[in-house]
Amino acid sequence: MALDGQMNQALPRRAMKAELLDAETELALARAWRDNRDEAALHRLITAYMRLAISMASKFKRYGAPMNDLIQEAGLGLMKAADKFDPDRGVRFSTYAVWWIKASIQDYVMRNWSMVRTGSTSAQKSLFFNLKRVQARLEREADTQGERLDQHQLRHRIASEVGVSLRDVEMMQGRLAGSDFSLNAMQSSEEDGREWIDTLADESEQADEIVETDHDTEQMRAWLVEAMGCLSSREQFIVRERKLREKPKTLEALGQELGLSKERIRQLEAAAFAKMRKSLEMRREEVHSFLT
């Protein structure tokens, strides 16, 4: 059962018709995948438990995500579970897979719930998925005891119950109470009205900034070339290999290449930097005014 294609209504129906594995068969398939990377065994194992993934995905429909996407994420979680499962621990694969499937779906919901990050710590994730349930229970308990909770008291109790800060509760309630809207929506019904996206500041580099940056870069390059001109050919080679390469060479590697000791390469490098520093210091005022 492919997990990388387009999901459709036929997938849940096929999943419900898949074989039910007994413990012995499941164990054999899991070992075949772990020990021999048997893809046929993996396919059979995943297909058999895809109904579990779909069942868990359906529990997250209330968050507004497309069911096909939820099933896709549940399938990815199932794949991760199969890859990490140790059949010799004496635990059924379905028991182990539940955690990975749930984690994969929850991560997807958290990423796509809002344009604004809702939170990524385990405590914030727990708050996101349990806020309404905990709030309803606390309100029922208070009502049973004849107690009336204002919003401030309720938030304090939720924070204590879930193990997060009061600020986290306040922010999460605000985000869950709101909803996202399209940036292409019109600000008004007038014909010349603008879309909301038109009000966003363009944070990309402007033309004058690009020109200025290019000029500064060219000036710095000219000063460095001039400073490098004060060095011997061997010193230039050492500086290039040590500081100007994407993967700089070690002192030991350069020593072997030049037939010198590691300490001698270090001395030549230090001497080269001293010469370059002296060259730049001769332009002290010019460099200072450039940098400030």
Side-chain angles (χ1 to χ4, degrees), residues 109-118 128 175 179-180:
V109 172
M110 294 286 284
R111 290 195 309 269
N112 293 277
W113 172 258
S114 172
M115 291 170 60
V116 180
R117 282 183 63 86
T118 311
F128 177 86
R175 288 170 180 172
S179 60
D180 297 335

Side-chain angles (χ1 to χ4, degrees), residues 14-250:
R14 291 202 305 271
M16 295 306 295
K17 295 179 181 178
E19 66 176 321
L20 294 173
L21 300 179
D22 56 43
E24 185 177 347
T25 303
E26 176 189 293
L27 186 64
L29 293 174
R31 283 176 173 163
W33 169 245
R34 182 196 63 182
D35 299 338
N36 305 314
R37 309 315 280 178
D38 185 336
E39 293 189 3
L42 173 65
H43 176 80
R44 189 177 169 190
L45 187 65
I46 293 298
T47 300
Y49 284 104
M50 196 61 199
R51 62 164 61 85
L52 171 65
I54 294 173
S55 175
M56 293 189 66
S58 67
K59 297 177 181 178
F60 290 83
K61 288 191 295 184
R62 65 182 182 276
Y63 294 104
M67 187 59 188
N68 283 351
D69 291 348
L70 292 173
I71 293 175
Q72 181 81 10
E73 291 299 321
L76 291 175
L78 185 61
M79 293 284 287
K80 290 179 183 177
D83 195 49
K84 296 179 178 294
F85 181 60
D86 184 352
D88 295 329
R89 296 224 171 204
V91 178
R92 287 298 299 265
F93 177 68
S94 58
T95 303
Y96 179 79
V98 164
W99 188 92
W100 284 98
I101 295 170
K102 184 177 181 181
S104 183
I105 298 172
Q106 286 185 340
D107 284 344
Y108 169 78
V109 172
M110 294 286 284
R111 290 195 309 269
N112 293 277
W113 172 258
S114 172
M115 291 170 60
V116 180
R117 282 183 63 86
T118 311
S120 56
T121 67
S122 58
Q124 290 171 329
K125 185 179 293 186
S126 175
L127 178 62
F128 177 86
F129 288 104
N130 296 295
L131 176 60
K132 292 183 178 179
R133 179 181 59 79
V134 172
Q135 179 174 324
R137 178 171 59 78
L138 291 174
E139 288 175 336
R140 286 197 306 271
E141 292 176 354
D143 188 58
T144 300
Q145 299 172 5
E147 191 178 0
R148 295 295 296 270
L149 297 176
D150 59 30
Q151 283 299 310
H152 186 67
Q153 292 172 319
L154 181 60
R155 287 167 179 164
H156 267 288
R157 293 194 182 186
I158 293 173
S160 176
E161 181 82 13
V162 183
V164 298
S165 68
L166 178 62
R167 177 175 174 79
D168 281 342
V169 175
E170 292 171 343
M171 291 178 63
M172 192 66 71
Q173 282 184 331
R175 288 170 180 172
L176 293 179
S179 60
D180 297 335
F181 62 91
S182 173
L183 287 174
N184 294 117
M186 302 300 292
Q187 288 182 291
S188 69
S189 58
E190 299 175 6
E191 290 186 6
D192 59 347
R194 295 186 303 171
E195 295 181 353
W196 283 102
I197 196 170
D198 293 331
T199 66
L200 298 180
D202 184 3
E203 296 182 357
S204 61
E205 207 172 15
Q206 301 302 302
D208 58 335
E209 295 174 334
I210 294 174
V211 172
E212 184 177 354
T213 299
D214 289 345
H215 175 269
D216 291 348
T217 302
E218 190 61 34
Q219 183 63 76
M220 288 290 291
R221 183 181 292 112
W223 285 336
L224 288 174
V225 169
E226 182 179 336
M228 286 280 286
C230 300
L231 308 180
S232 66
S233 58
R234 184 168 62 177
E235 290 171 335
Q236 289 180 10
F237 176 75
I238 291 173
V239 170
R240 279 197 303 270
E241 297 301 315
R242 289 280 293 155
K243 299 299 181 182
L244 302 180
R245 300 298 186 196
E246 185 176 349
K247 292 184 178 180
K249 292 185 178 179
T250 63

